[in-house]
């Protein structure tokens, strides 16, 4: 029950806010018409459609005058009708006044004095008496007009929400909002893409020369590395050959027929008389950088092949 009351209060607040936002025009208030007030409770067990027809019928059968000039309001508990002999000039002031607490109240307006009975936020009875020259209003509570949240005035927003055209308008409005949002998002995305492309082009133009220099540096580095590799592979040949020939000439007079250098391995075919093969291998093995030394005889007389592997 408490949660239901909370939801109802919140709904009322929202409807009041919408009412004030879109329907700001003042309501005309009738303070001169002498109205006969009737309140009748809803009968039990009726559908909504039956209640609407019942309310229309009550406006006809309860009229105390031949000509029916009236203002009606349907609350949650029943129908409230203000009848007048003459055309009403607006909403009766007792319909647009503030809600009163439960019980009997004596109020005074600009033209009439009222005796009212209230129960659970609705006026169950109201008798209007013309003010006399003694102005009893000085001793009575003045009626308080509440245009924004009158107890017996239909909100425009409630009538609008019941109209199918309103929901069509709301649907169209929501569709327009969605389309505007999607269009804005699309235009934003297109703008961002163009901005990024433009920025990328400017950056490319700015760093293009630097990228070219970087490519040149990479290419030069690659050439240097290749030269260093070539040096390791080929440039040590003179040094290696010189050291081996020195050892050969130190032991005997030699004549070199052929030499081969591949993968840091030196092979020298030479001719020598009376050379100390063991000393040659031992001395060659002690050369700095030599990993292994070996000598094999050749098919020709006094011809040998010295094989030296370098680190």
């Amino acid at each position: 029950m408490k949660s239901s009351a909370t939801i109802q209060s919140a709904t009322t607040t929202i409807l009041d806010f919408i009412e004030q936002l879109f329907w700001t025009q003042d309501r005309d208030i009738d303070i001169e018409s002498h109205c006969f007030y009737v309140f009748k409770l809803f009968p039990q067990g009726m559908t909504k459609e039956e209640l609407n027809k019942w309310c229309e019928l009550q406006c006809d059968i309860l009229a105390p005058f031949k000509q029916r000039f009236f203002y009606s309001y349907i609350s949650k508990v029943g129908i409230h009708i203000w009848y007048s002999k003459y055309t009403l000039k607006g909403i009766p002031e007792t319909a647009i006044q503030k809600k009163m607490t439960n019980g009997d109240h004596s109020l005074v307006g600009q033209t009439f004095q009222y005796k009212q009975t209230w129960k659970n936020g609705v006026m169950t009875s109201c008798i209007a008496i013309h003010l006399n020259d003694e102005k009893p209003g000085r001793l009575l509570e003045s009626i308080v007009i509440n245009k924004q949240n009158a107890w017996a005035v239909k909100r425009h927003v409630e009538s609008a929400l019941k109209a199918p055209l309103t929901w069509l308008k709301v649907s169209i409005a929501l569709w327009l909002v969605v389309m505007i949002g999607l269009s804005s998002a699309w235009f934003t995305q297109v703008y961002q893409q163009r901005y990024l492309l433009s920025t990328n082009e400017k950056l490319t133009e700015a760093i293009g020369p630097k990228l070219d220099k970087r490519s040149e540096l990479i290419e030069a580095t690659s050439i240097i590395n290749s030269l260093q590799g070539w040096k390791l592979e080929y440039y040590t040949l003179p040094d290696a050959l010189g050291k081996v020939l020195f050892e050969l000439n130190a032991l005997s007079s030699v004549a070199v027929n052929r030499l081969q250098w591949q993968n840091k391995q030196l092979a020298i075919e030479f001719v020598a008389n009376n050379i100390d093969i063991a000393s040659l291998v031992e001395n060659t093995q002690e050369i700095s950088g030599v990993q292994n030394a070996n000598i094999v005889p050749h098919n020709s007389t006094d011809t040998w092949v010295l094989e030296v592997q370098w680190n």
Side-chain angles (χ1 to χ4, degrees):
M1 293 297 292
K2 185 179 293 185
S3 60
S4 176
T6 302
I7 293 174
Q8 181 178 353
S9 176
T11 303
T12 300
T13 302
I14 294 172
L15 291 177
D16 288 341
F17 173 77
I18 297 174
E19 183 79 13
Q20 296 175 26
L21 186 63
F22 293 99
W23 288 275
T24 56
Q25 68 273 19
D26 290 338
R27 303 179 189 272
D28 293 329
I29 304 171
D30 191 334
I31 60 173
E32 298 178 359
S33 298
H34 192 178
C35 294
F36 178 75
Y37 177 75
V38 178
F39 164 66
K40 195 168 184 178
L41 287 169
F42 289 141
Q44 299 294 325
M46 284 190 175
T47 62
K48 185 175 181 180
E49 184 178 355
E50 291 172 341
L51 281 176
N52 290 335
K53 292 181 179 180
W54 178 85
C55 290
E56 292 178 3
L57 180 62
Q58 302 311 303
C59 292
D60 290 333
I61 64 175
L62 296 177
F65 310 113
K66 289 183 179 181
Q67 289 184 311
R68 295 188 308 108
F69 301 105
F70 66 92
Y71 171 81
S72 65
Y73 174 73
I74 300 175
S75 67
K76 294 182 178 181
V77 294
I79 184 169
H80 310 261
I81 311 171
W82 288 258
Y83 291 101
S84 174
K85 286 184 179 182
Y86 309 102
T87 302
L88 291 168
K89 300 175 182 178
I91 301 174
E93 64 179 345
T94 52
I96 206 167
Q97 73 177 86
K98 75 169 185 178
K99 294 180 181 180
M100 306 298 293
T101 58
N102 291 348
D104 297 328
H105 297 270
S106 294
L107 304 173
V108 63
Q110 297 187 36
T111 307
F112 301 96
Q113 177 183 342
Y114 302 100
K115 290 185 178 181
Q116 300 177 350
T117 302
W118 286 77
K119 184 177 180 180
N120 297 330
V122 299
M123 189 170 64
T124 59
S125 69
C126 180
I127 300 174
I129 305 172
H130 280 280
L131 290 175
N132 54 36
D133 296 335
E134 296 179 0
K135 298 182 180 180
R138 292 177 298 175
L139 304 176
L140 300 176
E141 182 181 357
S142 297
I143 196 167
V144 177
I145 302 300
N146 188 348
K147 294 182 179 181
Q148 300 299 335
N149 193 19
W151 79 273
V153 176
K154 281 187 178 180
R155 298 184 182 92
H156 295 89
V157 65
E158 292 179 350
S159 300
L161 290 176
K162 293 178 181 178
L165 184 60
T166 299
W167 292 107
L168 176 61
K169 292 179 180 178
V170 170
S171 300
I172 293 174
L174 290 176
W175 181 81
L176 289 174
V177 169
V178 172
M179 293 305 297
I180 291 172
L182 292 176
S183 300
S184 300
W186 183 80
F187 282 115
T188 301
Q189 183 179 9
V190 170
Y191 171 78
Q192 290 178 344
Q193 287 179 343
R194 291 182 177 178
Y195 175 76
L196 290 175
L197 288 174
S198 176
T199 304
N200 187 44
E201 291 177 358
K202 292 179 180 179
L203 290 175
T204 301
E205 293 177 359
I207 66 174
K210 295 182 180 180
L211 291 176
D212 293 339
K213 290 182 179 180
R214 183 174 181 273
S215 299
E216 293 175 1
L217 177 61
I218 293 174
E219 184 177 358
T221 303
S222 177
I223 293 174
I224 292 173
N225 291 334
S226 299
L227 290 174
Q228 290 179 344
W230 178 87
K231 179 181 179 181
L232 292 174
E233 191 70 24
Y234 302 103
Y235 187 66
T236 54
L237 172 61
D239 186 43
L241 181 60
K243 292 179 179 180
V244 174
L245 291 177
F246 177 81
E247 297 297 334
L248 284 171
N249 291 323
L251 295 176
S252 175
S253 177
V254 299
V256 177
N257 292 338
R258 184 178 60 87
L259 61 87
Q260 181 180 2
W261 173 263
Q262 185 177 6
N263 296 330
K264 296 184 179 182
Q265 182 173 10
L266 176 64
I268 300 177
E269 179 183 326
F270 65 93
V271 179
N273 295 322
N274 301 321
I275 190 170
D276 188 350
I277 299 301
S279 297
L280 176 61
V281 172
E282 183 179 354
N283 294 340
T284 305
Q285 187 74 44
E286 293 178 355
I287 296 175
S288 176
V290 172
Q291 180 179 353
N292 183 35
N294 184 35
I295 191 167
V296 294
H298 194 267
N299 293 332
S300 299
T301 305
D302 296 331
T303 303
W304 306 87
V305 178
L306 176 63
E307 298 175 346
V308 182
Q309 182 67 46
W310 297 79
N311 293 326

